[in-house]
Amino acid sequence: NRHMSQKIILATLMLSSLFDLSSEIQEENLFSYFDEKKFFSAKFLQTTSLKDKERTINGIIKATRKGAFKIEYFEPIKEIISADDTFFYKLDLELEQVDIVPKEQFFQDTPINIFISNIEELKKLYEVKSCEKKVNFLSCRLAPIDESSFIENLNINFTGNELKSFSYSDTFEQKVTIKLSEISWEKFDDSELVMEIPQGIDIVYH
């Protein structure tokens, strides 16, 4: 489903780790920077541009390196997206419907993998093309290994060694930018990733 795929993006961080914060992020250690962080939570502002149209939406995200996550979108779209080991769930409060899809059908090449995949999996999904630094700003450009991926270019941006934003273009000719705030790498309970389905909601299996 095209629209469902577009929303799993992130378009989607401060815990001490084995990564030496005095070391500069480079092509060779970019995946290690993420792999050593097992939990991620943040607020985000997502802007999607297509030709002369632009849409902005904010939300919150929580994810774990074990493969689970939860994204909650606020106005103007009231949706909650989550995934466990087996399924992907999308709750549309306006449609009063939750879609349930086998997980492997959706997450092969979406940016959420940066936060839910281990280093071996990341190396199979993306190739780090470059990490370019200008003063205190660093931008790393990734390309998907799978040539059929709907993502064409993925940029991960840092100030110093602190993650700040993502941007990517896709095969739908969209440009998506995700600015992060209130980032935390702190551990949280798995129960915070569980989607609560209100009574009266239709459940659709795909």
Side-chain angles (χ1 to χ4, degrees):
N1 183 294
R2 167 177 169 173
H3 297 293
M4 208 178 290
S5 297
Q6 292 171 354
K7 291 171 184 174
I8 309 171
I9 44 148
L10 277 246
T12 256
L13 312 152
M14 270 351 268
L15 177 68
S16 60
S17 69
L18 298 177
F19 188 88
D20 184 356
L21 294 180
S22 65
S23 300
E24 290 190 353
I25 297 172
Q26 302 175 1
E27 291 95 327
E28 296 79 10
N29 63 16
L30 177 64
F31 291 151
S32 294
Y33 172 90
F34 287 105
D35 182 61
E36 292 168 0
K37 296 168 174 58
K38 306 306 180 185
F39 296 84
F40 165 66
S41 60
K43 293 183 178 179
F44 65 85
L45 179 67
Q46 176 180 315
T47 302
T48 303
S49 303
L50 177 61
K51 297 180 179 179
D52 59 343
K53 296 182 179 180
E54 185 175 281
R55 183 181 68 177
T56 299
I57 184 171
N58 58 24
I60 56 176
I61 177 174
K62 288 181 176 288
T64 75
R65 196 61 57 187
K66 293 187 293 184
F69 71 87
K70 182 178 180 181
I71 302 172
E72 185 171 357
Y73 291 95
F74 302 129
E75 300 289 350
I77 298 176
K78 295 181 179 180
E79 288 185 352
I80 300 175
I81 294 173
S82 70
D84 53 26
D85 292 340
T86 308
F87 293 104
F88 159 78
Y89 309 85
K90 184 174 80 71
L91 172 61
D92 189 318
L93 295 172
E94 292 185 351
L95 292 179
E96 297 185 345
Q97 177 176 305
V98 61
D99 294 278
I100 302 178
V101 183
K103 186 176 178 181
E104 64 271 11
Q105 295 183 16
F106 269 93
F107 300 103
Q108 184 63 31
D109 58 1
T110 56
I112 190 67
N113 279 302
I114 294 294
F115 304 110
I116 67 174
S117 302
N118 62 41
I119 192 168
E120 290 79 14
E121 294 166 337
L122 288 173
K123 289 179 179 179
K124 293 178 181 178
L125 292 170
Y126 300 105
E127 178 184 0
V128 183
K129 292 292 189 178
S130 65
C131 284
E132 298 182 358
K133 185 175 183 180
K134 294 181 180 179
V135 191
N136 200 36
F137 176 80
L138 177 72
S139 181
C140 293
R141 183 170 64 89
L142 283 66
I145 300 295
D146 186 352
E147 294 183 355
S148 65
S149 170
F150 82 96
I151 292 178
E152 296 181 338
N153 287 294
L154 172 62
N155 292 284
I156 307 177
N157 304 310
F158 302 82
T159 298
N161 279 358
E162 295 185 15
L163 180 62
K164 291 298 182 182
S165 67
F166 287 80
S167 63
Y168 69 86
S169 55
D170 63 27
T171 55
F172 306 120
E173 299 183 351
Q174 294 184 129
K175 176 64 181 290
V176 179
T177 301
I178 302 167
K179 295 182 179 179
L180 302 168
S181 62
E182 298 185 28
I183 295 170
S184 174
W185 301 106
E186 296 287 347
K187 183 177 181 179
F188 53 80
D189 193 85
D190 289 344
S191 63
E192 296 185 41
L193 301 176
V194 176
M195 176 188 290
E196 296 184 3
I197 301 176
Q199 291 186 347
I201 294 290
D202 294 328
I203 299 176
V204 180
Y205 290 90
H206 296 267

